[in-house]
């Protein structure tokens, strides 16, 4: 491209009016790759009004759709968390109610078992006492007259009666011992706890009856009080079968009372 520029003549007169400046080389072409057209997203209609091009509009629609999807996802997540929290609260409420019911039912069952166990212990102790008393009384006449025992100095009857009274007194004390229990303080409340008292009595009576049946015959017949001792142990040992059954049931009742 050739460009001619007319210059005014300088005041010093070096150049006249016919002076020309000629550029032999052409100007470099514009690099379109480095040129950014900021109006790419706009076009002008016939009326000269500028508007967004189709690509710009699509990009804006895409951004709006993405924001709507994100908003919907956030709402769904919030609703999901609310539902989970509601379900969790309901589950905790049901579990708490079930726990209270089970605790109440367990406490009622515990008290029922303790009451039944205590009644069983007392009934079995009373049955053993009655069985021993009737058995010793039925065989008392074989060893003399109780009314004349002191006058006659009947040592055989005294030994027999002594063994019988010792066992009966032990059972009577056990009966009242089973009614009591140590005081326990819990949660600012003092009550009498049931520790299964009376179990030792059942163990001793059962084991003693079996041992009496084994060793009664080994006792000699003289002096006289040994005859009465042997007779009392023989009566006691003869009850071993029924006493063992009653004593085993009594031990079970005491264990139920102790561990419930």
């Amino acid at each position: 491209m050739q460009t001619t520029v007319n210059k005014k003549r300088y005041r010093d007169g070096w150049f006249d009016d016919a002076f020309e400046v000629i550029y032999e080389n052409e100007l470099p072409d514009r690099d379109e790759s480095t040129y950014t057209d900021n109006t790419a997203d706009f076009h002008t209609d016939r009326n000269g009004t500028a508007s967004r091009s189709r690509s710009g509009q699509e990009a804006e629609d895409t951004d709006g759709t993405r924001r709507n999807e994100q908003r919907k996802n956030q709402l769904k997540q919030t609703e999901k968390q609310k539902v989970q929290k509601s379900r969790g609260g309901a589950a905790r409420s049901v579990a708490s109610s079930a726990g209270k019911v089970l605790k109440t039912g367990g406490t009622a069952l515990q008290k029922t078992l303790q009451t039944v166990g205590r009644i069983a212990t007392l009934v079995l102790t009373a049955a053993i006492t009655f069985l021993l008393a009737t058995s010793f009384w039925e065989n008392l006449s074989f060893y003399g007259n109780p009314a004349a025992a002191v006058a006659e100095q009947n040592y055989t009857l005294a030994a027999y009666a002594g063994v019988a009274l010792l066992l009966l007194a032990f059972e009577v004390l056990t009966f009242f011992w089973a009614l009591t229990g140590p005081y326990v303080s819990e949660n600012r409340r003092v009550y009498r706890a049931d520790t299964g008292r009376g179990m030792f009595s059942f163990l001793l009576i059962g084991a003693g009856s079996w041992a009496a049946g084994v060793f009664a015959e080994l006792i000699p017949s003289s002096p006289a009080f040994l005859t009465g001792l042997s007779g009392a142990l023989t009566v006691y040992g003869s009850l071993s079968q029924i006493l063992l059954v009653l004593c085993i049931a009594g031990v079970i009742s005491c264990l139920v009372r102790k561990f419930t």
Side-chain angles (χ1 to χ4, degrees):
M1 182 181 73
Q2 186 177 22
T3 303
T4 304
V5 180
N6 294 322
K7 301 292 183 175
K8 292 191 306 179
R9 184 181 58 182
Y10 289 96
R11 292 179 180 181
D12 53 7
W14 284 8
F15 304 98
D16 56 10
D17 293 336
F19 179 78
E20 294 181 355
V21 177
I22 299 173
Y23 295 94
E24 297 294 336
N25 296 328
E26 293 183 356
L27 294 176
D29 296 334
R30 185 178 62 182
D31 189 359
E32 297 293 339
S33 62
T34 60
Y35 178 74
T36 302
D37 188 3
N38 294 329
T39 63
D41 292 338
F42 295 89
H43 68 276
T44 304
D45 57 12
R46 294 179 179 179
N47 296 325
T49 302
S51 62
R52 298 284 295 178
S53 63
R54 180 175 298 176
S55 60
Q57 186 67 33
E58 290 178 352
E60 183 177 357
D61 293 341
T62 301
D63 292 338
T65 303
R66 186 182 300 108
R67 286 193 295 270
N68 291 333
E69 291 296 331
Q70 292 177 352
R71 191 177 297 109
K72 290 180 180 179
N73 292 333
Q74 290 177 354
L75 291 175
K76 290 181 180 180
Q77 187 68 22
T78 303
E79 293 296 330
K80 184 177 180 181
Q81 291 176 354
K82 290 182 179 179
V83 171
Q84 291 178 350
K85 185 180 294 184
S86 176
R87 290 178 179 177
R92 287 192 295 270
S93 178
V94 172
S96 178
S97 300
K100 291 180 179 178
V101 172
L102 291 175
K103 184 177 180 179
T104 303
T107 302
L109 179 61
Q110 179 182 5
K111 291 182 178 180
T112 301
L113 291 174
Q114 288 181 346
T115 301
V116 172
R118 186 179 297 108
I119 293 174
T121 298
L122 297 176
V123 170
L124 291 170
T125 303
I128 292 173
T129 304
F130 178 79
L131 181 62
L132 290 174
T134 54
S135 298
F136 283 123
W137 180 258
E138 290 175 356
N139 292 278
L140 182 63
S141 59
F142 291 104
Y143 302 97
N145 185 4
V150 177
E152 296 176 356
Q153 296 183 354
N154 190 343
Y155 297 109
T156 301
L157 182 59
Y160 179 87
V163 174
L165 290 174
L166 180 63
L167 292 174
L168 293 173
F170 178 73
E171 286 300 290
V172 171
L173 291 175
T174 299
F175 182 88
F176 290 104
W177 177 254
L179 291 173
T180 63
Y183 286 100
V184 177
S185 177
E186 182 179 0
N187 296 329
R188 298 181 180 180
R189 185 172 63 92
V190 179
Y191 62 95
R192 190 184 294 274
D194 192 347
T195 57
R197 288 180 175 180
M199 184 167 58
F200 177 73
S201 171
F202 292 118
L203 294 174
L204 182 62
I205 292 297
S209 178
W210 175 82
V214 173
F215 296 105
E217 298 180 355
L218 301 178
I219 299 175
S221 57
S222 60
F225 75 91
L226 292 179
T227 302
L229 179 60
S230 176
L233 293 179
T234 300
V235 173
Y236 183 31
S238 65
L239 302 173
S240 61
Q241 292 183 353
I242 187 171
L243 285 177
L244 285 175
V245 174
L246 294 175
C247 289
I248 291 173
V251 170
I252 294 174
S253 68
C254 292
L255 291 175
V256 170
R257 292 162 50 207
K258 184 175 182 179
F259 295 104
T260 56

